[in-house]
Amino acid sequence: MNKDELWDKCLLYIKDRIQEQAFETWFDEVIATNLDNEIITLQVPNQFHYEWLESKYRHLIDNALKENSQHPLIVNYSVVISDKSVDEIPKLISKTKPIPRGYQRKSQLNSRYIFDNFIEGKSNQFAKAAALSVADTPGQNPYNPLLIYSSPGLGKTHLLQAIGNKLINQNSDMRVVYLTSEKFMLDFISSIQKNQSTNFINSYRNVDMLLIDDVQFFQSKEQTQEQFFHLFNDLFQKGKQIVLTTDRHPSEMKGLKDRLISRFQSGLVVDIQPPDLETRIAILTKKAEDDGLEIPYDVTEFIAEAIVGDIRAMEGALVKLLALSSLRREDITMNLARQVLKNLLGENSYTDLSIDKIVKYVCRKMKISERQILGKSRTMEVALARQLAMFLSKELTSASLANIGIHIGGRDHSTVIHACKNIDKKAIEDNEFQKKIVVMKNEIAGKENA
Ligand code: ADP
Ligand code: MG
């Protein structure tokens, strides 16, 4: 294997394991420049980039190499002396002006993300409506800034870029900048290194729309927050539209200055919830359609049921299924789908059960409604049912704790851990309760296998 083949394989390995944005920011520009028996040399754009890789991704890179190389390798870095001036930093996107390659890859909006292929459901319709409105009348509506928040994989980046794409499509003179907060910080730091931090901020001041993804990354980055705060105010005063995304409600963000949090909340804050089963099926169907694929309905439903609370993961399963089918020259069948999911979700933990079904079962059994169990009620009865649903989901499905939490009323993984502990404790203390749980498990599993 030569250096490029090896590094390409490693990149695939890494890409599978980190967020798309992080991958683009930190790995897109890294290339292998040399490989011998002991050492692989990776070229990075600057010193900061190297330090970042070393501190955050060292293990991942090592593991990627271990996985793909026949013998142990040491990683060496070489840093490029860049001649790119900071003036270039604003990623002004316009259809008429060609943008240098490489540049384009990172900063240009991805044309794949448009409103047309964003499937609407109860879980995201408000966010989509707000996004559309902002794209149609940027800066001229009460939604400035618009802030969209959700757990990962539910469509924030898609909506954010769809806004930019729509605006540019309607008016190619519009200067739209899309970037992640991580990239913003990286650019800022590199401007400091070059003593050009004033240029850095000036370069953003003439944009018409600023789209900043994953703002939670600003947490504890005080200098970057400061810079962003001034930029924000400047653009806001000029009536320019700002759209932000984040992984939680701004009031729950730690390590952000109060004044920034209050700015973030001064426009419209909308969330995206995990999609229900019907929406998940619709999304998968649309993806398959767009790619010109025919997938039997039962397979689509099967995937949509097995993977909840993360559309990206669901798409990943579909992609793996297609890959396997073409590799083996087999049709896409339930059988093949089972194999893929087994592979993806782990051999032992895999079952056909979905959290949805468990929630429905518990509701029937405890005679409460789904709305109650997924809602905020804290009455003892509802709380117990909710904890049971979490516990059974943990026991009977391969879903992660985070996934279970997201699905059962948008709780976080620590709530799920607490629920499971509580049920365990109750079962130890109360023999009857223990028996009930065993019955429930059997009933759920039995029904599924029938
Ligand atoms: P986030 O930024 O919230 O982590 P993304 O926007 O990257 O999530 O979405 C993950 C994947 O799921 C993307 O491929 C996106 O196109 C897809 N996706 C999310 N929501 C929808 C939707 N409502 N309709 C179609 N595809 C969607
Ligand atoms: Mg995203």
Side-chain angles (χ1 to χ4, degrees):
M1 212 176 346
N2 71 28
K3 61 179 183 351
D4 294 330
E5 288 168 7
L6 173 62
W7 184 237
D8 279 348
K9 286 207 168 121
C10 290
L11 286 177
L12 284 178
Y13 177 96
I14 292 166
K15 197 169 186 160
D16 264 343
R17 285 162 180 79
I18 61 175
Q19 293 249 339
E20 212 171 285
Q21 300 301 348
F23 182 85
E24 277 178 25
T25 308
W26 301 108
F27 289 96
D28 243 358
E29 289 178 87
V30 180
I31 50 178
T33 51
N34 200 27
L35 174 67
D36 62 29
N37 282 335
E38 282 159 20
I39 298 174
I40 180 165
T41 308
L42 301 178
Q43 180 185 293
V44 295
N46 53 46
Q47 180 72 15
F48 178 75
H49 208 112
Y50 150 71
E51 281 163 14
W52 193 269
L53 286 181
E54 267 291 271
S55 68
K56 302 276 178 195
Y57 295 119
R58 191 193 167 134
H59 278 300
L60 189 61
I61 294 171
D62 281 345
N63 288 342
L65 285 166
K66 242 184 243 156
E67 186 82 21
N68 293 296
S69 154
Q70 279 87 9
H71 50 267
L73 286 170
I74 298 168
V75 185
N76 248 346
Y77 288 97
S78 72
V79 175
V80 182
I81 310 295
S82 166
D83 56 357
K84 220 196 254 172
S85 91
V86 182
D87 299 346
E88 286 178 40
I89 277 174
K91 281 75 193 175
L92 298 185
I93 296 146
S94 142
K95 276 184 147 179
T96 44
K97 280 177 242 139
I99 296 159
R101 296 202 91 231
Y103 212 69
Q104 200 161 1
R105 228 178 352 145
K106 275 193 312 300
S107 55
Q108 170 79 280
L109 294 161
N110 186 333
S111 56
R112 193 165 75 84
Y113 294 128
I114 51 176
F115 284 110
D116 281 350
N117 60 14
F118 188 84
I119 304 285
E120 190 176 320
K122 267 206 307 277
S123 57
N124 61 29
Q125 61 190 10
F126 192 33
K128 183 180 180 184
L132 266 169
S133 160
V134 155
D136 285 334
T137 53
Q140 296 161 32
N141 52 56
Y143 311 154
N144 203 13
L146 172 64
L147 186 147
I148 305 171
Y149 74 95
S150 80
S151 341
L154 295 183
K156 293 183 295 295
T157 299
H158 190 138
L159 271 186
L160 190 63
Q161 298 214 18
I163 295 172
N165 278 320
K166 184 157 200 277
L167 185 65
I168 286 174
N169 250 323
Q170 285 162 353
N171 181 351
S172 59
D173 292 336
M174 280 287 163
R175 285 152 306 175
V176 175
V177 170
Y178 164 85
L179 79 171
T180 65
S181 58
E182 205 171 4
K183 186 80 177 78
F184 183 87
M185 185 196 73
L186 175 65
D187 288 352
F188 172 53
I189 290 175
S190 105
S191 77
I192 296 177
Q193 289 168 342
K194 293 173 193 151
N195 274 329
Q196 294 184 333
S197 54
T198 358
N199 289 1
F200 167 73
I201 280 305
N202 284 339
S203 65
Y204 286 101
R205 287 193 199 263
N206 60 352
V207 307
D208 295 307
M209 179 183 268
L210 182 64
L211 308 169
I212 302 260
D213 213 350
D214 291 321
V215 170
Q216 70 275 4
F217 194 80
F218 283 155
Q219 285 176 356
S220 309
K221 318 285 188 324
E222 295 208 352
Q223 285 293 321
T224 312
Q225 283 180 37
E226 190 68 24
Q227 291 297 321
F228 188 70
F229 181 73
H230 292 303
L231 175 62
F232 185 103
N233 287 340
D234 192 53
L235 292 177
F236 185 80
Q237 269 156 22
K238 288 189 207 143
K240 303 301 184 191
Q241 181 71 47
I242 302 161
V243 191
L244 313 154
T245 74
T246 170
D247 68 348
R248 69 200 72 176
H249 191 276
S251 64
E252 285 171 25
M253 290 177 69
K254 298 191 187 76
L256 270 197
K257 294 220 156 107
D258 287 346
R259 55 181 189 167
L260 205 53
I261 291 182
S262 99
R263 286 294 187 288
F264 286 174
Q265 301 190 70
S266 62
L268 179 70
V269 177
V270 288
D271 68 338
I272 305 178
Q273 289 291 321
D276 54 25
L277 180 63
E278 287 78 3
T279 310
R280 298 204 297 279
I281 293 174
I283 291 172
L284 276 182
T285 309
K286 173 88 177 133
K287 298 272 166 202
E289 217 178 85
D290 288 351
D291 291 344
L293 301 162
E294 259 181 52
I295 298 176
Y297 178 78
D298 56 349
V299 170
T300 311
E301 192 183 80
F302 177 62
I303 297 176
E305 277 193 340
I307 304 183
V308 299
D310 186 341
I311 298 171
R312 185 180 294 116
M314 199 174 69
E315 286 178 5
L318 184 66
V319 169
K320 294 225 162 78
L321 180 59
L322 299 176
L324 193 63
S325 118
S326 79
L327 198 74
R328 295 211 192 141
R329 298 175 195 285
E330 268 179 50
D331 283 345
I332 295 175
T333 57
M334 275 300 277
N335 217 352
L336 207 62
R338 271 178 224 280
Q339 287 176 41
V340 168
L341 286 192
K342 200 178 276 181
N343 225 304
L344 226 57
L345 304 175
E347 191 79 37
N348 300 324
S349 53
Y350 169 77
T351 76
D352 280 38
L353 275 172
S354 69
I355 300 173
D356 266 342
K357 286 196 173 157
I358 292 175
V359 168
K360 289 205 168 78
Y361 170 87
V362 173
C363 287
R364 267 199 316 276
K365 193 87 183 168
M366 314 270 292
K367 299 199 172 50
I368 63 167
S369 73
E370 257 182 79
R371 206 159 45 86
Q372 285 175 304
I373 211 172
L374 301 180
K376 299 260 178 276
S377 164
R378 288 177 191 272
T379 63
M380 255 180 39
E381 207 189 352
V382 175
L384 179 65
R386 194 179 290 135
Q387 291 186 342
L388 257 178
M390 289 178 174
F391 173 83
L392 290 168
S393 298
K394 189 194 119 218
E395 297 278 302
L396 297 173
T397 76
S398 50
S400 68
L401 295 176
N403 216 336
I404 293 172
I406 288 170
H407 210 65
I408 304 183
R411 268 82 174 174
D412 66 13
H413 79 285
S414 62
T415 312
V416 181
I417 293 175
H418 175 74
C420 295
K421 276 196 186 142
N422 207 28
I423 298 290
D424 270 334
K425 188 161 155 267
K426 256 178 107 74
I428 291 169
E429 288 165 359
D430 179 349
N431 224 338
E432 284 306 306
F433 187 71
Q434 165 112 43
K435 279 184 200 153
K436 266 190 205 156
I437 290 181
V438 174
V439 171
M440 286 191 198
K441 276 192 190 171
N442 286 339
E443 275 182 1
I444 297 174
K447 217 168 248 150
E448 289 301 316
N449 296 334

